[in-house]
Amino acid sequence: MNNGKRIWVYDTTLRDGAQREGISLSLEDKIKIARELDRMGIPFIEGGWPGANPRDGQFFWKMHEKPLKQAELVAFCSTRRPHVEAREDPMLTAILAARTRWVTIFGKSWDLHVTEGLKTSLEENLAMIGDTIEYLRCQGRRVIYDAEHWFDGYKNNPEYALLTLKTARDAGAEWLVFCDTNGGTLPQEIAPIVEKVREQLGIDPDEENAPQLGIHAHNDAGTAVANSLAAVNEGARMIQGTINGYGERCGNANLCTLIPNLQLKMGFSCLEENQLGRLTGTSRKISEMVNLAPDDHAPFVGRSAFAHKGGIHVSAVAKNPLTYEHINPEAIGNQRRIVISDQSGLSNVLAKARSFGIDLNKDDPTCRQILERLKILESQGYQFEAAEASFELLMREALGQRSHLFELKGFQVYCDMLLDSGNAIATIKVQVKEEDLLEVAEGNGPVAALDLALRKALVKFYPEIANFHLTDYKVRILDSGSGTAAKTRVLIESSNGQQRWTTVGVSSNILEASYQAVVEGIEYGLYLLQNNKLELSGQFCPLGTI
């Protein structure tokens, strides 16, 4: 263990992470993410490259209007151009205009990139590194030097690569960061290189007020986290990465995996204990901000990271969580989940009941009835491990605790595909509190029309449903050999903007399966409200073209 020695976390989600295919951050998105990272206690937040695009320049100006509370906002830039003095390079003028105390400069470590990429001499590259850092230091800036393509450069020409680091150090850089830019280096290569360079540069990782080493790993070989841990073991004291591992190509080192490994497993200090508890929430919030679904199977922060499905596992965890959990999930803001499926035993049902606030005894015949009902439905194609809201409704019905808030009397859906609009019209008849209601609605898809018609009928009695909206809709064909008559499973995820719940429907008629899932989604949301388990926020959003 390392007795709480400090590791400085450097987040580059706003620049490197935003280079991931499929991510496009608005100015407002960047501001929200920066403030979320600040609340979690990240020491360094790289905001972007001022001058590279208008949005990044605006971001730094906006952040000065309301500064971060504890994090250092960092501007990012390359060294000056060849044969142009740093004080005359307009690129560095934009960096100074960002008014950050810290600046990260990247320079070339690999002689191949100097001669083939920059088309300049090795001597001029050293001058670019030294001149840029000295100029920024003279302007009152503190400098982090990212040694781009460091490991490839070192393996091809170690003497020159080392000389680039010495030049950056001598010019005043306070951090020298090894970058595995191509992401192809393996941990067994990382460790000896970092150790050797640290010794050659005479860097003591425990010495304060002296240049220190960092690591910036990409994940092209799937080893970015392992490489970062290897570098830390050999004396690196800064880890650079992104939330959820976002980044170009295969991504960057995932801070949501790195931080708990360093702090909970290796004994380093990255965040305060209460801040570490925000990790899971921050991971999921940022995934929403970048409009990417959270990875349920991500280490530490994934929804399934502490999920238990097998009956033997569930039974053991109920006695002692250490049997199948490597850490306490609450330490990083996650929670244990008991998954219900056709592989479940009584221990799963009992554990799931406890999570719903239901007191069940294994000797209660209802418990076995629930298990048998579960297995029958799953054999028909239902999937309750992905639809826990539907399973809670099933369980409460078996216990006589389910209130049927309305009854379907029938529905029809008409869709004329010859019309340019392709809109669908749904007619639905329901009974609510002994009153029959007939409603018609038009939507840009049959399920959307059906959902809108149902809401029109129910909102008069349950106005709260105007705040529920769909966040995901999945269709799975269960017996493809039956062709168009195949049975279909529909999973619908609903939300009020803060909490999500998933319901399931199964039928050979896709509209009927969709209706089952839609109805249970509305019913479960109302159940949560009536039992004070949900706070409303957000606005109604129809299902879209479904």
Side-chain angles (χ1 to χ4, degrees):
M1 299 295 285
N2 291 280
N3 301 318
K5 291 180 181 177
R6 182 72 182 269
I7 296 293
W8 297 89
V9 180
Y10 180 109
D11 182 277
T12 180
T13 304
L14 298 178
R15 184 195 61 81
D16 233 344
Q19 293 178 189
R20 169 174 165 152
E21 185 178 4
I23 289 182
S24 179
L25 299 180
S26 67
L27 175 60
E28 189 61 29
D29 291 333
K30 293 190 64 152
I31 293 172
K32 288 180 180 178
I33 291 172
R35 300 207 183 283
E36 187 64 33
L37 295 171
D38 186 44
R39 282 190 288 270
M40 197 174 76
I42 300 295
F44 292 99
I45 300 173
E46 186 179 276
W49 186 331
N53 60 73
R55 183 183 56 223
D56 280 5
Q58 292 168 4
F59 168 77
F60 284 99
W61 280 101
K62 280 286 185 183
M63 295 306 293
H64 279 294
E65 293 176 3
K66 188 178 178 181
L68 298 174
K69 292 185 177 180
Q70 64 85 38
E72 290 281 359
L73 195 62
V74 184
F76 178 87
C77 186
S78 73
T79 58
R80 67 159 172 82
R81 291 172 294 175
H83 307 296
V84 176
E85 290 189 21
R87 67 173 184 268
E88 297 177 355
D89 194 327
M91 181 174 60
L92 295 178
T93 302
I95 294 299
L96 294 174
R99 295 185 295 160
T100 61
R101 186 164 68 150
W102 284 87
V103 175
T104 294
I105 293 296
F106 75 91
K108 302 299 183 184
S109 307
W110 192 356
D111 54 4
L112 174 71
H113 273 260
V114 177
T115 57
E116 298 297 324
L118 292 178
K119 296 294 184 182
T120 192
S121 67
L122 300 184
E123 293 75 15
E124 176 61 13
N125 181 55
L126 295 176
M128 291 160 60
I129 295 169
D131 185 27
T132 302
I133 295 173
E134 287 175 355
Y135 175 66
L136 291 172
R137 292 291 285 162
C138 287
Q139 298 298 315
R141 303 304 190 266
R142 302 179 71 175
V143 177
I144 299 166
Y145 178 68
D146 277 8
E148 189 185 34
H149 293 282
W150 164 260
F151 294 99
D152 293 310
Y154 186 85
K155 285 184 284 186
N156 282 274
N157 188 340
E159 293 79 11
Y160 183 74
L162 190 63
L163 192 55
T164 64
L165 281 189
K166 290 180 178 178
T167 300
R169 180 195 61 185
D170 295 344
E174 297 181 54
W175 288 97
L176 307 174
V177 180
F178 302 116
C179 299
D180 186 27
T181 311
N182 284 351
T185 312
L186 298 178
Q188 61 265 33
E189 299 175 280
I190 297 279
I193 291 176
V194 173
E195 179 186 25
K196 188 172 183 179
V197 172
R198 177 174 56 79
E199 292 173 351
Q200 288 175 318
L201 293 177
I203 290 177
D204 181 354
D206 298 322
E207 184 180 352
E208 296 183 4
N209 303 317
Q212 292 293 331
L213 301 177
I215 181 70
H216 178 114
H218 285 253
N219 202 41
D220 297 71
T223 58
V225 168
N227 286 348
S228 300
L229 296 178
V232 168
N233 262 337
E234 298 303 332
R237 290 296 176 259
M238 172 183 281
I239 54 165
Q240 295 191 0
T242 61
I243 295 297
N244 299 324
Y246 299 142
E248 197 166 20
R249 304 186 312 277
C250 304
N252 288 45
N254 189 343
L255 292 178
C256 297
T257 306
L258 262 176
I259 291 171
N261 271 317
L262 287 166
Q263 188 149 329
L264 300 178
K265 299 296 187 72
M266 298 171 66
F268 289 100
S269 175
C270 300
L271 304 175
E272 297 294 331
E273 186 176 334
N274 64 317
Q275 294 171 329
L276 184 62
R278 300 180 65 98
L279 187 66
T280 299
T282 297
S283 165
R284 295 175 187 176
K285 284 180 185 178
I286 290 178
S287 71
E288 293 293 339
M289 293 178 194
V290 303
N291 199 28
L292 291 175
D295 180 0
D296 285 346
H297 300 280
F300 294 100
V301 298
R303 188 168 177 267
S304 299
F306 300 93
H308 306 283
K309 179 175 178 179
I312 294 176
H313 291 212
V314 173
S315 178
V317 166
K319 297 170 185 173
N320 187 339
L322 288 176
T323 53
Y324 286 99
E325 290 178 355
H326 64 116
I327 66 163
N328 177 3
E330 284 78 14
I332 41 88
N334 209 336
Q335 60 184 1
R336 181 177 305 115
R337 291 176 55 247
I338 303 302
V339 177
I340 294 295
S341 75
D342 60 357
Q343 298 182 33
S344 300
L346 285 176
S347 56
N348 295 64
V349 174
L350 291 168
K352 202 65 190 173
R354 285 193 295 271
S355 73
F356 294 149
I358 298 172
D359 186 17
L360 262 185
N361 188 292
K362 66 179 180 179
D363 298 323
D364 187 336
T366 306
C367 188
R368 191 163 293 279
Q369 290 170 14
I370 292 171
L371 180 60
E372 292 304 316
R373 179 65 174 157
L374 164 69
K375 292 181 181 292
I376 290 171
L377 289 175
E378 292 235 346
S379 71
Q380 295 173 0
Y382 285 81
Q383 186 185 61
F384 290 102
E385 65 181 86
E388 294 182 344
S390 285
F391 183 72
E392 182 172 356
L393 292 176
L394 180 154
M395 182 175 284
R396 292 192 180 278
E397 182 165 19
L399 294 167
Q401 300 175 3
R402 182 175 179 180
S403 299
H404 291 278
L405 303 175
F406 51 90
E407 181 184 354
L408 173 69
K409 294 294 186 178
F411 68 84
Q412 291 182 329
V413 179
Y414 173 76
C415 186
D416 190 342
M417 299 305 295
L418 297 179
L419 294 176
D420 289 339
S421 66
N423 280 3
I425 298 174
T427 303
I428 191 166
K429 186 176 183 179
V430 295
Q431 185 179 73
V432 187
K433 299 180 180 179
E434 299 184 352
E435 182 178 340
D436 287 340
L437 300 170
L438 182 67
E439 289 291 352
V440 179
E442 184 178 25
N444 57 0
V447 179
L450 185 62
D451 176 64
L452 288 166
L454 178 61
R455 289 170 181 272
K456 282 179 68 177
L458 297 180
V459 75
K460 303 168 187 176
F461 294 90
Y462 308 110
E464 301 93 341
I465 67 172
N467 294 277
F468 301 163
H469 60 277
L470 175 137
T471 55
D472 200 6
Y473 177 90
K474 295 186 178 75
V475 177
R476 175 75 181 273
I477 303 302
L478 300 177
D479 49 349
S480 57
S482 300
T484 55
K487 187 177 287 186
T488 302
R489 177 170 64 227
V490 171
L491 289 170
I492 285 181
E493 186 181 71
S494 305
S495 174
N496 80 315
Q498 294 189 10
Q499 185 171 345
R500 297 181 176 218
W501 57 94
T502 303
T503 48
V504 62
V506 174
S507 174
S508 56
N509 184 328
I510 189 173
L511 290 179
E512 183 181 356
S514 299
Y515 177 82
Q516 292 173 19
V518 167
V519 166
E520 290 203 346
I522 291 174
E523 182 182 347
Y524 190 75
L526 291 172
Y527 160 75
L528 292 177
L529 277 170
Q530 292 171 352
N531 290 273
N532 299 317
K533 294 183 178 181
L534 184 65
E535 295 181 2
L536 281 173
S537 67
Q539 299 297 320
F540 161 64
C541 175
L543 296 186
T545 309
I546 299 172

